Amino acid sequence: MLTYQLPETINDDIGYYEKTVKDYLSGKTEAIKMKGIRVPLGIYEQRRENTFMVRIRIAGGIITPAQLKEVSQLALRFGSGMLHVTTRQDLQIHDVSIQDTVDVMKALVKCGLSAKGGGGNTVRNIVMSHDTGFCDDETFDFTPVVLRLTSDMINEEDSFKLPRKFKISFSNNGEDTGYAMISDLGLFAKENNGVKGFEVYVAGGLGRKSRPGELLYDFIDLNDLYRTVNAVKAVFYKYGNRKNKHRARLRFLFDDLGKEKFLSMVEEEKERFKKRDYVSLIGNEQIKAENYNKKMPVVANKVWLDRFVRRQENGLYNIMIPLKNGDIEADTAKKLSLSLENFGDDTIRLSNTQNVFLVNIPFKGVQEIYDFLVDKGLYEDTPNIIGKIVSCKGADTCKLGICKTRGAVKKIYELIESEKAVFADIENVNVHISGCPNACGKHLVGDIGFFGRAKQKNGSFYPSYTVMTGGFTKKGHAVFGHEKGEISAKNMPHFLTDVLKDYAGSSNSSFHEYLKNGGEDNINKILSNYSYVPSADEDISFYYDWGADEMFSTEDIGQGECSASLMDLIDSYLKSISQTKQLLKKGEENKPEEEYLYDILLKSVNIFVLLKGYDTDSVNKLVDIYKKEYHNILNDEQLNTAELLLQDTFSGKDTKKRILELSDYALTYYKSLDDNLGFAAAEVSGSDSKSESINFKDYRGVACPMNFVRIKVDLSAMKKGEILEVYLDDGAPIANVPRSVESEGHEIVDKRKIDNYWSLKIKKK
């Protein structure tokens, strides 16, 4: 079957998740821990409380008819009856109860799919140009490589314990239809003297501190792909910011280190991994059709044929099915899957423009697909532009959403369909809409982009969008759209369709050409026509978003789910410990002191264990992990204090003192760690080679003695003989730290000055 290999731990993961759900519903597991467990498994809470979305990993957008049938049935049984295609080629089922998410997870495994990694700080779905294997000007078909890399990545533990999400994208040519330039790791297919491989870019991304990727390698061959991807992931895993999620994406680490240092660290990590045979995955033969020499099929609707059907080199056909808002009724998707079963497994792609792309359709099947689409309302003389409008889910379901993008896009569709002839010839304009500045709709790279925001007039809030134009991405070059101004949500659909009409009436061959030839001025004029926003007394409709029953408000905007992980528990536990200690200090406790002390101790030990990347509900295991991981860091009294958790009861001034002191040290220890929380010394998955390990820390700006305290913590987590390289400031740090390190028995193997700071390499005893 054309799919990826499920994680070996998936059944154990689901078993643990099922137990956690039961404990959560019975009140045994707190909401923040439940969130930290479910989100990395691809389960998000929606805006409406106690309803959930399951995001299913569809590697490269490839899904078989049998899999689509099963997912459709799950949406009908447990969800809203709709399926949603995302901008990263995932499938989402919405409006699922927390109890039913367990059954959905189990059923997905049976058909070879999983939601693990659909959210959280994980390796997310690996995407690729949707027409890979069927594009006339692609370098080569790397479809099996994407599936194999997905299998390798999701079977490695560290892929699910990263500082923040890690997005990998492949493009089959320089047009960058896979959006490789705006991904953490972007790869362009390339041939070098007949050798197949990739041009590699890193540190791209949209949202906070948007930036295009930078060239890391001009060329790597196919067999070097696995170790290169894993090396970049390992650098991120070890050195990424785990304290501040707003600076946790790979691009922040890249900019902090600089390209030269980042590349050298990737090269060091590559020595840990062996090359893997990906070359043999690439075949030279395609499926050949009986009608290889025939022309395009004769279909009743030639307009549909011209717009959405293309003949492949192998004599078969591909068909684009534009979806509105990326949605398709689950019953329709199920029937589509049944109609495709006789055409083979390799027939369905999901595009990152939220459409369905059918491939390898035989001559006779083209008419059958057309009849099906007309019967199900998926084609009604649909203009091409319908499939070019990309939008996130917005405030209808997303907790961070400001504007209801779905309602606005629905109105855009209505306006376009009311004048189909006007929009009929628009093919090459990309419209991207995000419900907030977070760029899930990729508004920065649209020919026309919008992102939602809240505006105010006379004390009343109304939904609004910032308008952007001129964005695009191509290999080696990405330009983010520039802001043109603001438009009310009420007027946004009318503004957009007026701009599209103006473009359609011009003689320009592309939207960028249109912008250069007076389009910018025209857009400014159209925007000014819609600039007036009446007060709520004049026209209350401006203060309602599209599809909303209530006046617009920002009060229900919540915290995002995307970055949730068990590491979030640390801050929660620290706050809880502080509050409980205040109650004890004031004598305001409402239950026996022993219970408060037990809670403080349990959370303190949990903090230490979480900082090593572990989580367990077993107190016995918790104590064992704590003592094993910290035997070289904490003193005997601190280690033995944890064993109080195993006693039936405890009391006494000495016991209370020990518990409170350990809780104080938990905070001190946490603050002493640098931004990567000590993960720089951790082992990474998939490591094969036994080369000398070099860990790196930058302690410039850290004064004595805290710099030595941190180095001591780093060394404690390393193996004998491993090397720790640290950067230290000139003056007291370089004068004091080497002596302190040597007094602990470690060896200084290199000490050299670089500009106004020092590099110190320490070999652990």
Side-chain angles (χ1 to χ4, degrees):
M1 186 185 293
L2 194 68
T3 189
Y4 55 87
Q5 179 185 336
L6 292 173
E8 295 179 358
T9 62
I10 191 64
N11 289 320
D12 292 337
D13 295 332
I14 294 173
Y16 181 58
Y17 175 69
E18 183 174 19
K19 178 183 180 301
T20 305
V21 169
K22 290 177 181 177
D23 288 346
Y24 169 70
L25 293 173
S26 67
K28 293 179 181 178
T29 296
E30 53 196 322
I32 190 169
K33 183 168 185 177
M34 179 75 239
K35 180 179 177 181
I37 292 171
R38 64 173 166 77
V39 171
L41 289 174
I43 300 167
Y44 285 63
E45 187 172 19
Q46 298 174 193
R47 192 135 179 162
R48 182 159 57 92
E49 196 172 348
N50 296 321
T51 59
F52 296 84
M53 172 268 286
V54 181
R55 179 180 291 154
I56 305 162
R57 183 187 293 272
I58 311 294
I62 302 165
I63 186 168
T64 68
Q67 290 173 330
L68 180 59
K69 176 183 174 183
E70 179 62 28
V71 173
S72 301
Q73 291 176 160
L74 292 174
L76 289 167
R77 181 180 176 189
F78 298 112
S80 64
M82 298 290 291
L83 291 175
H84 179 71
V85 179
T86 77
T87 56
R88 289 198 64 80
Q89 300 176 305
D90 300 288
L91 268 181
Q92 291 179 179
I93 301 175
H94 286 263
D95 298 342
V96 184
S97 71
I98 192 67
Q99 300 97 317
D100 288 341
T101 59
V102 176
D103 291 323
V104 171
M105 298 279 279
K106 290 179 179 178
L108 288 174
V109 170
K110 291 180 180 178
C111 70
L113 295 173
S114 169
K116 186 176 182 181
N121 304 327
T122 65
V123 173
R124 298 294 186 87
N125 193 38
I126 300 178
V127 305
M128 70 178 190
S129 301
H130 69 272
D131 58 354
T132 299
F134 310 99
C135 178
D136 292 340
D137 59 350
E138 69 182 8
T139 309
F140 64 94
D141 179 6
F142 50 71
T143 301
V145 172
V146 169
L147 294 173
R148 172 67 182 276
L149 183 65
T150 296
S151 301
D152 287 341
M153 289 293 106
I154 66 176
N155 276 283
E156 295 176 352
E157 185 181 2
D158 59 354
S159 292
F160 302 96
K161 293 182 177 181
L162 297 171
R164 196 67 172 81
K165 58 188 171 185
F166 186 62
K167 295 182 176 181
I168 304 171
S169 302
F170 288 77
S171 280
N172 56 7
N173 60 35
E175 292 302 305
D176 196 17
T177 53
Y179 292 116
M181 286 299 297
I182 52 172
S183 298
D184 295 295
L185 185 60
L187 302 113
F188 290 87
K190 188 173 185 177
E191 281 197 14
N192 187 13
N193 296 321
V195 178
K196 293 180 173 64
F198 298 95
E199 191 169 309
V200 184
Y201 290 79
V202 293
L206 304 180
R208 190 181 293 269
K209 196 180 181 180
S210 299
R211 74 187 313 282
E214 289 202 27
L215 182 66
L216 190 69
Y217 294 104
D218 182 65
F219 182 78
I220 60 168
D221 64 49
L222 279 170
N223 286 350
D224 202 32
L225 176 64
Y226 168 78
R227 65 198 291 259
T228 300
V229 173
N230 232 335
V232 173
K233 183 184 71 169
V235 170
F236 185 41
Y237 176 85
K238 289 182 172 185
Y239 305 108
N241 193 322
R242 294 176 185 267
K243 277 191 174 180
N244 182 357
K245 67 177 62 179
H246 300 302
R247 287 186 53 80
R249 292 295 296 273
L250 180 69
R251 55 186 178 269
F252 290 94
L253 176 63
F254 182 89
D255 286 343
D256 288 344
L257 293 172
K259 181 177 178 179
E260 184 178 350
K261 182 62 181 177
F262 185 89
L263 177 59
S264 71
M265 293 169 73
V266 170
E267 284 294 303
E268 288 176 4
E269 291 295 337
K270 282 179 76 169
E271 295 303 314
R272 295 173 176 266
F273 306 100
K274 291 180 180 178
K275 290 189 175 185
R276 291 195 178 179
D277 177 18
Y278 280 20
V279 170
S280 63
L281 299 172
I282 305 299
N284 294 317
E285 293 188 10
Q286 290 185 311
I287 303 169
K288 298 295 182 183
E290 294 178 4
N291 61 307
Y292 186 76
N293 293 316
K294 292 185 179 179
K295 298 180 180 180
M296 291 293 287
V298 177
V299 177
N301 193 317
K302 188 176 184 302
V303 173
W304 173 78
L305 200 70
D306 291 341
R307 286 179 183 169
F308 301 113
V309 182
R310 297 291 179 270
R311 186 173 179 275
Q312 300 169 182
E313 286 188 6
N314 61 4
L316 298 170
Y317 301 86
N318 59 62
I319 303 170
M320 179 65 78
I321 304 175
L323 300 181
K324 294 180 178 179
N325 266 318
D327 292 336
I328 182 170
E329 292 183 2
D331 185 62
T332 299
K334 177 182 176 181
K335 290 173 180 174
L336 176 63
S337 70
L338 294 173
S339 70
L340 294 169
E341 282 183 335
N342 293 330
F343 303 151
D345 281 344
D346 188 11
T347 50
I348 309 172
R349 300 281 192 276
L350 307 179
S351 78
N352 57 15
T353 51
Q354 301 177 293
N355 300 309
V356 173
F357 185 62
L358 304 184
V359 300
N360 293 326
I361 305 301
F363 186 80
K364 65 174 183 177
V366 176
Q367 180 69 53
E368 293 176 18
I369 296 298
Y370 172 75
D371 293 339
F372 175 87
L373 296 179
V374 172
D375 180 59
K376 298 303 176 185
L378 288 174
Y379 179 73
E380 299 170 319
D381 196 19
T382 308
N384 216 313
I385 186 65
I386 292 290
K388 300 287 187 175
I389 300 173
V390 173
S391 171
C392 71
K393 295 291 281 185
D396 285 295
T397 58
C398 177
K399 289 188 172 187
L400 283 174
I402 297 173
C403 291
K404 289 181 175 289
T405 53
R406 293 170 59 76
V409 173
K410 182 180 178 182
K411 182 62 179 179
I412 293 167
Y413 293 148
E414 290 175 2
L415 293 172
I416 290 173
E417 290 172 341
S418 69
E419 298 181 86
K420 289 179 181 178
V422 176
F423 300 96
D425 296 327
I426 300 177
E427 294 186 355
N428 55 353
V429 178
N430 296 306
V431 179
H432 290 260
I433 306 170
S434 301
C436 73
N438 283 315
C440 294
K442 296 185 172 70
H443 59 265
L444 285 163
V445 294
D447 291 310
I448 311 173
F450 301 88
F451 68 88
R453 59 193 309 168
K455 301 288 285 185
Q456 194 175 26
K457 183 163 186 175
N458 297 341
S460 297
F461 284 101
Y462 64 90
S464 174
Y465 288 90
T466 295
V467 182
M468 311 187 80
T469 59
F472 70 90
T473 172
K474 296 184 184 296
K475 184 170 75 171
H477 187 53
V479 171
F480 298 149
H482 61 278
E483 296 185 9
K484 301 289 290 183
E486 305 292 328
I487 187 81
S488 67
K490 168 85 172 180
N491 285 332
M492 188 269 269
H494 302 280
F495 162 77
L496 173 61
T497 50
D498 281 0
V499 170
L500 292 175
K501 286 179 186 178
D502 191 64
Y503 168 62
S506 74
S507 59
N508 297 289
S509 61
S510 72
F511 196 78
H512 282 270
E513 186 178 300
Y514 162 75
L515 291 176
K516 291 178 181 178
N517 296 331
E520 292 277 10
D521 291 336
N522 292 356
I523 290 173
N524 288 335
K525 291 175 184 177
I526 296 169
L527 190 59
S528 68
N529 293 338
Y530 290 105
S531 63
Y532 179 69
V533 176
S535 67
D537 292 334
E538 292 178 81
D539 190 345
I540 194 67
S541 67
F542 277 78
Y543 298 81
Y544 282 78
D545 208 343
W546 290 101
D549 297 322
E550 298 178 351
M551 281 186 68
F552 178 76
S553 171
T554 59
E555 292 181 3
D556 62 341
I557 297 174
Q559 291 187 339
E561 296 257 307
C562 174
S563 62
S565 75
L566 286 170
M567 300 303 285
D568 295 339
L569 285 169
I570 294 174
D571 286 334
S572 175
Y573 286 164
L574 287 171
K575 290 177 184 177
S576 176
I577 289 170
S578 176
Q579 291 168 355
T580 303
K581 288 164 78 171
Q582 286 297 317
L583 289 176
L584 290 174
K585 186 176 181 180
K586 294 178 180 179
E588 296 178 356
E589 60 267 26
N590 297 316
K591 53 188 178 182
E593 184 178 77
E594 280 189 19
E595 293 185 30
Y596 285 105
L597 291 173
Y598 182 87
D599 185 63
I600 290 172
L601 180 58
L602 182 63
K603 287 176 177 173
S604 299
V605 176
N606 260 300
I607 288 169
F608 283 109
V609 169
L610 284 166
L611 286 169
K612 292 296 183 181
Y614 294 97
D615 170 56
T616 178
D617 289 328
S618 166
V619 176
N620 285 300
K621 288 183 180 178
L622 183 73
V623 173
D624 287 345
I625 294 169
Y626 170 77
K627 296 187 75 172
K628 177 184 176 183
E629 292 293 330
Y630 288 92
H631 72 280
N632 284 332
I633 302 174
L634 304 180
N635 60 41
D636 289 343
E637 182 175 291
Q638 290 170 325
L639 292 170
N640 293 332
T641 298
E643 294 185 350
L644 294 170
L645 292 171
L646 306 178
Q647 297 181 9
D648 294 332
T649 181
F650 52 86
S651 59
K653 289 184 178 180
D654 181 60
T655 298
K656 179 178 179 179
K657 178 174 175 290
R658 288 169 60 192
I659 291 172
L660 295 180
E661 286 180 350
L662 184 63
S663 70
D664 289 340
Y665 191 72
L667 176 60
T668 301
Y669 179 77
Y670 175 67
K671 288 183 174 180
S672 76
L673 296 173
D674 59 10
D675 289 340
N676 63 50
L677 299 181
F679 275 71
E683 292 187 18
V684 294
S685 304
S687 177
D688 299 293
S689 58
K690 298 179 180 179
S691 60
E692 184 181 67
S693 174
I694 299 180
N695 304 281
F696 170 76
K697 289 298 185 69
D698 187 347
Y699 289 139
R700 290 175 291 180
V702 181
C704 298
M706 191 55 70
N707 46 23
F708 174 61
V709 172
R710 291 186 178 183
I711 290 170
K712 189 174 179 181
V713 171
D714 297 333
L715 290 167
S716 70
M718 292 166 52
K719 295 179 180 179
K720 181 179 179 180
E722 288 189 325
I723 304 295
L724 172 66
E725 180 184 7
V726 297
Y727 285 172
L728 296 169
D729 289 323
D730 199 11
I734 194 61
N736 296 331
V737 169
R739 290 200 302 268
S740 300
V741 167
E742 288 177 326
S743 70
E744 294 279 327
H746 307 294
E747 179 185 355
I748 305 296
V749 295
D750 186 51
K751 176 182 172 183
R752 55 193 171 87
K753 192 171 185 180
I754 306 172
D755 297 329
N756 62 343
Y757 63 94
W758 291 78
S759 167
L760 190 71
K761 288 187 178 179
I762 306 161
K763 188 172 186 178
K764 181 175 177 177
K765 65 177 179 180

